[in-house]
């Protein structure tokens, strides 16, 4: 089988995935708890939502980490030359599923924050709009990523079908 990916590129990509995964662990154990605690402590309307933000943030990062299992497997299949086979589609589905779950979690956080902080007298307008804008931009980026992955899945399926047809001819 022909190998489609340079091994050094794969090593570099796997290194980046490991670094991002370590960043997700750092986020789960330090950033998300500190951020949710700070938000709850700073703004009175957010205090009851401390645990909700904590749980949703942890679940979001877990979705990213689980998606990296599919990414890692795709890298391995690419390195072995079996990229254009039916074996790849479940891994792409895993990535799309995790991205969809993460997008749903972001949407829940955005709506919860927008509704709960709308009339918070302690929150300055700029704080409210900055946090809402960041969450909104994240939501749009996640939707874009899901749509891109769906297109890539269609291209992978087409390439897999063509590869299977060529193998039958040969």
């Amino acid at each position: 089988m022909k190998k489609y990916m340079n091994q050094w590129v794969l090593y570099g990509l796997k290194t980046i995935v490991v670094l991002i995964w370590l960043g997700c662990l750092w986020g789960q154990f330090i950033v998300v708890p500190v951020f949710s605690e700070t938000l709850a402590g700073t703004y009175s309307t957010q205090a009851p939502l401390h645990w909700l933000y904590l749980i949703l943030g942890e679940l979001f990062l877990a979705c990213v980490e689980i998606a990296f299992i599919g990414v890692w497997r795709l890298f391995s299949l690419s390195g072995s030359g079996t990229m254009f086979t039916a074996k790849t589609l479940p891994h792409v589905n895993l990535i799309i599923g995790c991205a969809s779950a993460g997008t749903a979690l972001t949407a829940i956080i955005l709506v919860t924050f927008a509704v709960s902080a709308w009339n918070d007298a302690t929150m300055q307008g700029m704080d409210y709009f900055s946090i809402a804008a960041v969450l909104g931009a994240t939501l749009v980026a996640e939707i874009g990523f899901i749509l891109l992955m769906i297109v890539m899945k269609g291209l992978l399926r087409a390439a897999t079908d063509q590869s299977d047809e060529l193998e039958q001819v040969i």
Side-chain angles (χ1 to χ4, degrees):
M1 265 231 171
K2 181 179 180 185
K3 293 190 178 191
Y4 296 100
M5 187 70 70
N6 182 319
Q7 289 299 319
W8 289 105
V9 171
L10 285 174
Y11 293 143
L13 289 171
K14 286 182 177 183
T15 301
I16 290 170
V17 167
V18 168
L19 291 173
I20 294 172
W21 181 75
L22 291 172
C24 286
L25 288 178
W26 174 70
Q28 279 184 308
F29 292 112
I30 296 174
V31 176
V32 171
V34 168
F35 182 74
S36 63
E37 181 67 33
T38 301
L39 193 62
T42 306
Y43 304 113
S44 59
T45 57
Q46 302 304 302
L49 301 172
H50 163 69
W51 289 105
L52 177 66
Y53 291 146
L54 178 66
I55 292 167
L56 293 177
E58 298 288 341
L59 288 174
F60 177 84
L61 289 175
C63 287
V64 173
E65 292 169 358
I66 293 168
F68 277 135
I69 294 170
V71 170
W72 191 275
R73 187 67 186 128
L74 287 174
F75 287 164
S76 298
L77 288 171
S78 177
S80 68
T82 57
M83 187 64 185
F84 299 111
T85 63
K87 293 179 187 179
T88 58
L89 294 176
H91 305 298
V92 175
N93 289 336
L94 174 68
I95 296 167
I96 292 171
C98 288
S100 299
T103 301
L105 293 169
T106 302
I108 292 169
I109 292 171
L110 174 60
V111 170
T112 301
F113 176 79
V115 170
S116 67
W118 180 253
N119 289 321
D120 188 346
T122 62
M123 185 176 294
Q124 296 177 359
M126 191 63 181
D127 289 347
Y128 174 80
F129 291 114
S130 296
I131 294 170
V134 167
L135 288 170
T138 302
L139 186 64
V140 169
E142 289 171 339
I143 292 169
F145 175 76
I146 292 168
L147 293 174
L148 178 65
M149 288 303 299
I150 291 170
V151 169
M152 297 303 286
K153 179 182 173 186
L155 292 172
L156 180 63
R157 182 176 290 136
T160 300
D161 291 344
Q162 290 175 357
S163 178
D164 290 345
E165 288 174 11
L166 278 173
E167 283 183 18
Q168 290 175 358
V169 170
I170 296 173

